[in-house]
Amino acid sequence: MSTTTRRHVLAGGALLATAGVAVGRTPARRTFFAPVSTGEERGPPIRQRTATTRKLFKCPAGYPNALSSSPDGLWIAEQRVDKARERIWRVDGTGAVLQTLSSDATDTSGIAYGNGVLWVCANSETNQGVYETSRDGRTLAHRQIPLGPAQLAGGCHGATWHDGFLWVTANRPRAILRIDPKTWTVSYLIPFGLPGGLTRYHGCAVLGDSMYMVSGGESRTYAEGQTNLIRYDLATGVIREIFDFAPGSCDPHGLTVHDGRLIACDSGLHPGWDSRYDVHGLGKRTSPSAGWVFEIELGT
């Protein structure tokens, strides 16, 4: 992974009934206040709820950092630490690999499927932007994220396709941008507006009338990690809720919606943690859910 900020199914009832929950941390809930722009010290408290996770299947040995849904499966993209060419897998509801390909992106941190192609987001120091990629791995176009410099316009930590637009969680403007794929212009944006203590952001996905984004704070280990899911009003961009995760939950990086459910993946790597991942014989695993794809269930 690069030194930039990184964060961070299809199965039916039978699979969910047998799925397990990872063993892990016990987060302490804190109060978040809405950001304001009118001079007040802080806005009103934001509603908070707790989410849980349910493991679905483990992806191929690798670093699943980005996730997208399509009518014929899930697309999982990895972000590697060993500089090898990063892979993209298309899998079915059991996690069986249907297709493997690569794109020209490096430090991949977002992927979206739309208009019959893949939109793969690069997040390295020297390779940024979005690679429009055919289903067989050919680069159709490489464009920088709008509103930035021509060559290196900033990285991206998540992507989703909704209503004919590509949405990306863009590092430089710190906002979720809605990009017209034809004109490559931004027609709408949702500022991250992260409350105090939340400094990291990753995958995004639209469910109903809401945009969800994975977020979190600074930490050194999984045990002390802080991960949240932010729900924005899609029409206004206002933060409506912040979810923390129940003890033992998986650690979300990539995020998508499939069959009306929020699905996420965990690459096993997190800024500030021991970045060694034993699937490649590189050391110990830092997250019990490393390499898993799982469902996020929104609770009370």
Side-chain angles (χ1 to χ4, degrees):
M1 282 186 160
S2 71
T3 56
T4 55
T5 301
R6 300 162 299 183
R7 271 292 298 133
H8 359 346
V9 220
L10 303 176
L15 177 58
L16 294 179
T18 60
V21 176
V23 177
R25 57 198 160 180
T26 303
R29 174 171 286 182
R30 50 169 296 184
T31 300
F32 294 106
F33 295 90
V36 295
S37 58
T38 54
E40 296 92 339
E41 181 178 354
R42 65 187 184 189
I46 299 172
R47 183 187 180 196
Q48 292 179 253
R49 289 199 280 161
T50 298
T52 58
T53 61
R54 188 181 295 272
K55 288 180 177 178
L56 298 176
F57 56 82
K58 201 162 190 178
C59 82
Y63 306 85
N65 199 48
L67 189 66
S68 184
S69 174
S70 71
D72 58 352
L74 277 182
W75 296 88
I76 306 170
E78 68 171 349
Q79 180 181 25
R80 300 181 66 93
V81 296
D82 55 8
K83 304 307 178 185
R85 189 167 175 83
E86 297 169 349
R87 295 162 294 177
I88 299 171
W89 303 281
R90 181 169 62 90
V91 302
D92 67 9
T94 68
V97 176
L98 303 174
Q99 182 181 358
T100 302
L101 60 122
S102 295
S103 76
D104 289 322
T106 54
D107 284 358
T108 302
S109 291
I111 187 171
Y113 181 85
N115 274 358
V117 299
L118 295 166
W119 307 85
V120 189
C121 303
N123 192 47
S124 70
E125 298 282 1
T126 57
N127 183 17
Q128 298 171 356
V130 180
Y131 286 87
E132 183 181 350
T133 305
S134 68
R135 289 175 59 107
D136 60 2
R138 291 178 295 110
T139 294
L140 304 176
H142 177 212
R143 307 177 184 90
Q144 294 297 310
I145 292 174
L147 308 179
Q151 299 303 318
L152 291 174
C156 167
H157 280 185
T160 194
W161 184 269
H162 176 68
D163 200 22
F165 291 94
L166 175 67
W167 300 69
V168 299
T169 53
N171 299 8
R172 186 174 181 273
R174 294 181 61 78
I176 306 172
L177 307 181
R178 185 179 71 184
I179 302 174
D180 185 324
K182 297 179 181 177
T183 63
W184 207 249
T185 57
V186 175
S187 54
Y188 179 74
L189 66 82
I190 297 175
F192 291 161
L194 297 178
L198 298 184
T199 57
R200 301 193 179 279
Y201 40 89
H202 203 78
C204 63
V206 176
L207 179 61
D209 60 359
S210 299
M211 171 69 77
Y212 291 83
M213 184 183 76
V214 175
S215 183
E218 306 300 317
S219 59
R220 294 173 298 176
T221 65
Y222 170 82
E224 68 179 37
Q226 174 189 4
T227 303
N228 296 91
L229 186 67
I230 300 178
R231 181 174 76 85
Y232 299 89
D233 184 295
L234 186 62
T236 66
V238 172
I239 297 176
R240 295 302 187 191
E241 294 181 297
I242 294 181
F243 294 83
D244 55 23
F245 285 88
S249 294
C250 301
D251 187 44
H253 292 201
L255 186 68
T256 193
V257 170
H258 186 83
D259 289 342
R261 298 178 294 159
L262 285 170
I263 306 297
C265 62
D266 177 8
S267 72
L269 302 169
H270 188 107
W273 300 1
D274 179 351
S275 63
R276 296 171 296 171
Y277 183 36
D278 69 358
V279 71
H280 295 293
L282 300 177
K284 74 173 186 177
R285 193 169 293 164
T286 60
S287 167
S289 59
W292 281 89
V293 173
F294 49 91
E295 180 179 2
I296 296 176
E297 298 176 330
L298 305 178
T300 58

